[in-house]
């Protein structure tokens, strides 16, 4: 069992930056792929970024265009998403996700979801 709690969302202007953090509780964190998704009301929850259990593999949605960086610290059971040069299209609720298979996680089928944190980017 893994519990995920996100933080770091907020209201920013276009071009500014935010850093999201997700703290996990549970003994399986070090064996889980981790990722971030985002969703706006009435729309599909979209993949943003993922990272392999060891942190050696990182994957990003094309929409990030090099602006986002995912990282993890397994000892602290924390995964982060640094978001630079934010754009209004980045506005969404951002969800932390965890799963034993990076394939399933990247397909939007993680084992665990966080509650989400709101990111709002004004023009």
């Amino acid at each position: 069992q893994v519990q995920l709690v996100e933080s770091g969302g907020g209201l920013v202007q276009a071009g500014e930056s935010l850093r999201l953090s997700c703290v996990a509780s549970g003994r399986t964190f070090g064996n889980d792929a981790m990722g971030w998704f985002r969703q706006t009301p009435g729309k599909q929850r979209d993949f943003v970024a993922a990272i392999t259990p060891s942190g050696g593999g990182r994957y990003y949605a094309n929409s990030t265009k090099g602006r986002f960086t995912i990282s993890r610290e397994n000892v602290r059971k924390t995964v982060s998403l640094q978001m630079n040069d934010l754009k209004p299209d980045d506005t969404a609720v951002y969800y932390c996700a965890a799963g034993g298979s990076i394939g399933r996680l990247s397909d939007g089928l993680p084992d665990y979801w966080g509650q989400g944190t709101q990111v709002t980017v004004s023009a």
Side-chain angles (χ1 to χ4, degrees):
Q1 182 70 260
V2 175
Q3 186 176 48
L4 309 174
V5 180
E6 305 98 329
S7 64
L11 173 63
V12 298
Q13 294 180 330
E16 295 183 342
S17 299
L18 282 174
R19 184 175 184 269
L20 307 182
S21 294
C22 172
V23 178
S25 62
R27 59 186 297 177
T28 63
F29 182 85
N31 298 117
D32 284 341
M34 303 292 297
W36 291 91
F37 292 75
R38 64 189 182 188
Q39 186 174 24
T40 55
K43 295 185 178 180
Q44 180 180 353
R45 187 172 295 185
D46 294 327
F47 172 78
V48 176
I51 188 167
T52 56
S54 69
R58 302 179 183 186
Y59 307 89
Y60 300 94
N62 290 336
S63 59
T64 67
K65 298 182 179 180
R67 298 176 296 122
F68 292 5
T69 302
I70 188 171
S71 61
R72 68 189 294 163
E73 294 186 5
N74 288 349
V75 173
R76 297 182 181 273
K77 297 184 177 181
T78 301
V79 61
S80 299
L81 185 69
Q82 178 67 43
M83 305 186 294
N84 297 327
D85 191 25
L86 284 162
K87 306 179 184 301
D89 284 348
D90 296 319
T91 296
V93 176
Y94 283 70
Y95 295 90
C96 181
S101 167
I102 195 164
R104 284 180 55 84
L105 187 151
S106 298
D107 287 340
L109 298 172
D111 294 330
Y112 306 99
W113 290 107
Q115 294 297 307
T117 184
Q118 177 71 48
V119 172
T120 302
V121 184
S122 62

